[in-house]
């Protein structure tokens, strides 16, 4: 089994808060991240797919195809967006790093499976700051 990784960068704003809770609860839970004005991150995303190389092409997945999936499933919907307001799934789900990473995983893995490539997402790392990242593995 081989892992092929690709990294992309995107920028997005968000606010950590629950609409069904009070401002006091949100401040106590999320601190400054619950500020009504929101804030943003310059995200770095690394996605690794696992599979066996195709005997004919020698590739686990064509990087052109993987780049297209990442552009269409991650960059296009998220880059320079307000996650709370522009991504329907985050209207009522707090767009924490953990929730965002899981959302990305589901979209990319579903697309790879839908396209029928003989590989799967094996790991994902979403970096928000030099000292904070979320890692997901299969």
């Amino acid at each position: 089994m081989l892992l092929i990784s690709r990294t992309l960068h995107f920028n997005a704003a968000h606010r950590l808060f629950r609409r069904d809770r009070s401002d006091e609860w949100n401040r106590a839970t999320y601190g400054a991240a619950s500020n009504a004005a929101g804030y943003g991150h310059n995200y770095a995303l690394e996605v690794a797919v696992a599979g066996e190389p195709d005997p004919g092409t020698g590739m686990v997945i064509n990087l052109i195809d993987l780049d297209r999936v990442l552009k269409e499933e991650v960059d296009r919907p998220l880059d320079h967006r307000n996650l709370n307001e522009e991504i329907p799934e985050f209207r009522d789900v707090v767009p924490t790093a953990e929730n965002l990473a899981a959302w990305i995983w589901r979209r990319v893995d579903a697309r790879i499976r839908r396209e029928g490539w003989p590989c799967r997402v094996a790991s994902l790392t979403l970096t928000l700051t030099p000292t904070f990242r979320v890692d997901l593995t299969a």
Side-chain angles (χ1 to χ4, degrees):
M1 188 70 62
L2 293 173
L3 293 176
I4 302 298
S5 298
R6 201 54 146 177
T7 301
L8 78 103
H9 299 268
F10 64 94
N11 306 302
H14 65 146
R15 175 183 179 205
L16 301 184
F17 79 110
R18 287 188 47 179
R19 295 175 197 277
D20 64 337
R21 298 294 182 117
S22 69
D23 287 339
E24 293 76 25
W25 185 92
N26 280 298
R27 275 193 302 277
T29 303
Y30 301 113
S34 72
N35 179 353
Y39 64 101
H41 287 290
N42 299 321
Y43 294 91
L45 173 69
E46 181 177 335
V47 175
V49 297
E52 297 294 332
D54 179 88
T57 66
M59 295 185 282
V60 172
I61 187 172
N62 188 316
L63 286 180
I64 294 170
D65 293 328
L66 182 56
D67 287 346
R68 182 173 40 81
V69 167
L70 293 175
K71 180 79 168 167
E72 293 172 2
E73 299 298 331
V74 180
D75 189 62
R76 194 171 293 148
L78 298 179
D79 192 36
H80 290 89
R81 302 281 189 237
N82 180 314
L83 302 179
N84 303 84
E85 302 302 324
E86 297 181 69
I87 307 302
E89 292 87 345
F90 291 119
R91 176 97 180 125
D92 296 315
V93 172
V94 182
T96 61
E98 298 89 336
N99 285 336
L100 181 57
W103 183 89
I104 292 169
W105 179 296
R106 288 189 300 271
R107 287 178 66 91
V108 172
D109 195 56
R111 178 71 179 274
I112 286 171
R113 291 173 189 273
R114 203 167 46 247
E115 297 283 341
W117 293 307
C119 58
R120 65 185 189 342
V121 175
S123 68
L124 180 150
T125 299
L126 182 65
T127 303
L128 287 76
T129 72
T131 61
F132 178 54
R133 73 174 188 228
V134 174
D135 294 302
L136 291 154
T137 57

